[in-house]
Amino acid sequence: MTDPISLSVVDAAAALRRGELSQDELFTAYRDRAAADDTNSFTWLADDLQSGLGDRDEAPGTDRPLAGVPLAVKDLFCVTGVPTASASNLLRGYLPPYTATSIARLQDAGATILGKTNQDEFAMGSSNENSAFGPVLNPWDRTKVPGGSSGGSAAAVAAGLAPAAIGTDTGGSVRQPAALCGVVGLKPTYGSVSRYGMIAFASSLDQAGPITRNVQDAAAIFRAMTGPADANDMTSIGWPGNAPEIDLPTAERLDSVRIGVPTELLGEGIEPGVRAAFDAALQTAESLGATIVEVELPHARHALAAYYLLAPAEASSNLARFDGVRYGNRADIGDGGLVELYTKTRHDGFGPEVKRRIMLGTYALSSGFYDAYYRRAQQVRTKIVEDFAVVHEQVDLIATPTSPTVAWGLGERTDDPVAMYQADVTTLPQSLAGVPAISIPCGLSEGLPVGLQLSGAAFSEQRILDAAHALEQAFAFDASPARSTGSGAPAAPAAAGKDAA
């Protein structure tokens, strides 16, 4: 039998159905590998298959599409009885009494929970350095960041610690770490996957999506995460009946596919090596039959400013519940009053980046500044939505680099929040527009992965997956360096307070 770790999700599920591999064997292989993790990707690991079943009473039958496949899950997804802290000291030790809808649907498809992955606190960050459990290290170079906020999920998949992982994407937090770690990351259409059970950052932007080794695996997992509209999430619209059903992509050509390249997202800030890899990817697309055309997204250059007003504004509202009274670990204030309780609890519980965004969002919503900042940002968002609608009438897909740079050094941008925020400049417009996008590895620069981003109109995931699969086969990207061991790179610090079932 082939080494279970080398199998894709699709192949592992097939081997399980044929009886060539047992569920315990597959789970144990990944559990043992994850337990020896030196990238600090996990905050909690299940002890065995039974504890990885969560609130399921028995092992999944082989009739389910993901039967027996272990998945890593970002620490902000609630799973019954499993520690869920969103990488924050304020929630450390919290055991949810329910499971997020998207995770429950994966369990219904037969998947099991391998562990919870490290992240930026409350999903606020682009490097996975804003975590109460310590930073995650990039498997390609352990002196580099893995991207964020879903850095633990991306690093775990890249290092071969999990066959696939679930992350969340608010402004690029699935796609950007996928690009920096050389794996595949899919951000679905907003509303297609239920947000119920996800600890919220920015409710009008947050979306759950898979991080995988290949495009077919992304399709298989995304298909299981979707379903009818969820009554527990008023933003959930389910998968429309008039949209193409999600199937495993098999396309080998891009004949008749028109790909737009927005010049507004290819200017200053794109590293030469990233641009070279991107240009080579476009040439590959042309060789497969695609037509490459320049398009305009005139308001995309304002996405960064709009996002960092809108997302913090929503965060300031969503995180108000974590005060030590309604939710969160309560600070000891002795005989102090309510104001002192709120102040000390939030001072001790929140990290610097979360505090920064709460203050920025509260300021944008304050009396006298609402119209000047928040309302103006909403107007810009509307213009961005309109820009994408116009372009999608001209082309099938839009292509950009996923990240303007390859992975940077640990600590390199922690004292420069603006430089950190600019890491999401090419992923933010799609998030504001609510359209789907995927990142696939397309080459190397300075020995580190470069990601190609493809986006499309709402609910065009099947078209995106087909094109991404065809390009993936043509690129033949070798991700093995990220999964190799014994490279001599420095080991990660032990996760602070890592739990076990």
Side-chain angles (χ1 to χ4, degrees):
M1 175 65 196
T2 304
D3 176 13
I5 300 296
S6 68
L7 296 174
S8 68
V9 167
V10 172
D11 289 342
L16 288 165
R17 286 193 295 272
R18 293 191 298 264
E20 299 171 357
L21 183 66
S22 73
Q23 295 176 10
D24 275 314
E25 182 182 2
L26 182 63
F27 189 93
T28 300
Y30 276 107
R31 174 59 172 80
D32 291 348
R33 190 173 175 93
D37 171 29
D38 69 345
T39 63
N40 199 26
S41 293
F42 287 91
T43 61
W44 173 87
L45 284 173
D47 272 343
D48 48 36
L49 177 63
Q50 191 60 45
S51 60
L53 294 173
D55 51 1
R56 297 179 66 87
D57 294 328
E58 57 186 19
T62 56
D63 59 327
R64 298 186 177 99
L66 298 177
V69 176
L71 299 177
V73 176
K74 190 175 181 179
D75 192 33
L76 59 68
F77 287 92
C78 291
V79 178
T80 304
V82 172
T84 303
S86 201
S88 177
N89 282 322
L90 199 63
L91 282 179
R92 190 187 289 271
Y94 173 59
L95 300 176
Y98 65 100
T99 297
T101 297
S102 56
I103 305 304
R105 285 176 173 169
L106 288 166
Q107 290 179 317
D108 289 341
T112 59
I113 307 302
L114 172 67
K116 301 295 288 295
T117 54
N118 204 348
Q119 61 170 83
D120 284 298
E121 183 181 10
F122 287 107
M124 298 184 194
S126 302
S127 66
N128 219 138
E129 295 173 285
N130 304 315
S131 170
F133 295 94
V136 175
L137 309 188
N138 192 315
W140 285 79
D141 181 342
R142 287 161 175 77
T143 68
K144 307 290 186 182
V145 302
S149 64
S150 305
S153 292
V157 174
L161 310 178
I166 309 303
T168 61
D169 195 308
T170 305
S173 292
V174 160
R175 292 161 286 159
Q176 186 252 22
L180 269 54
C181 290
V183 291
V184 174
L186 174 67
K187 183 200 89 71
T189 302
Y190 181 79
S192 63
V193 178
S194 172
R195 294 186 304 107
Y196 178 70
M198 288 167 46
I199 297 174
F201 164 18
S203 300
S204 74
L205 295 159
D206 296 343
Q207 269 295 272
I211 296 176
T212 60
R213 295 180 195 167
N214 62 51
V215 176
Q216 283 197 340
D217 285 356
I221 293 174
F222 173 60
R223 179 171 58 188
M225 296 173 72
T226 60
D230 184 4
N232 292 316
D233 173 15
M234 66 181 183
T235 66
S236 169
I237 55 180
W239 194 254
N242 61 350
E245 290 295 324
I246 301 301
D247 202 355
L248 297 186
T250 58
E252 298 179 354
R253 298 277 303 171
L254 297 176
D255 297 317
S256 77
V257 175
R258 291 176 60 83
I259 299 178
V261 179
T263 55
E264 294 84 358
L265 296 177
L266 292 176
E268 184 179 354
I270 305 294
E271 288 182 345
V274 170
R275 180 59 190 263
F278 175 70
D279 289 342
L282 294 181
Q283 291 176 2
T284 300
E286 284 187 305
S287 73
L288 296 177
T291 301
I292 309 298
V293 298
E294 285 193 2
V295 296
E296 294 183 356
L297 293 171
H299 297 91
R301 64 183 184 274
H302 303 302
L304 184 68
Y307 176 87
Y308 280 102
L309 285 169
L310 296 175
E314 295 186 27
S316 72
S317 175
N318 279 324
L319 271 62
R321 73 195 72 177
F322 302 115
D323 54 17
V325 176
R326 291 169 290 182
Y327 296 96
N329 296 316
R330 181 178 302 184
D332 183 6
I333 59 167
D335 296 329
L338 185 61
V339 172
E340 186 177 352
L341 171 63
Y342 283 173
T343 302
K344 184 168 177 54
T345 292
R346 292 164 72 83
H347 173 274
D348 294 348
F350 288 142
E353 182 61 26
V354 173
K355 293 174 183 175
R356 181 183 294 116
R357 297 200 191 189
I358 289 174
M359 290 189 291
L360 177 60
T362 303
Y363 180 82
L365 292 173
S366 62
S367 177
F369 297 102
Y370 181 92
D371 288 336
Y373 295 108
Y374 183 76
R375 187 185 298 276
R376 181 71 60 86
Q378 289 284 27
Q379 291 169 340
V380 170
R381 183 178 190 176
T382 299
K383 290 294 184 182
I384 291 172
V385 171
E386 293 171 351
D387 288 348
F388 273 94
V390 169
V391 170
H392 285 142
E393 291 179 356
Q394 305 167 10
V395 298
D396 301 299
L397 302 171
I398 297 172
T400 70
T402 309
S403 170
T405 71
V406 293
W408 58 92
L410 289 162
E412 190 175 305
R413 300 185 185 182
T414 52
D415 294 330
D416 189 349
V418 174
M420 188 76 77
Y421 297 164
Q422 288 173 337
D424 299 327
V425 68
T426 56
T427 57
L428 290 173
Q430 292 81 0
S431 292
L432 290 169
V435 297
I438 196 170
S439 176
I440 61 173
C442 65
L444 298 174
S445 174
E446 303 174 20
L448 296 170
V450 175
L452 170 69
Q453 177 178 233
L454 297 175
S455 62
F459 300 105
S460 66
E461 278 86 342
Q462 188 61 55
R463 174 179 287 171
I464 292 172
L465 289 163
D466 283 335
H469 176 74
L471 286 167
E472 178 182 62
Q473 303 310 301
F475 294 153
F477 181 81
D478 181 10
S480 57
R483 295 196 293 274
S484 64
T485 57
S487 63
K498 180 184 288 188
D499 301 302

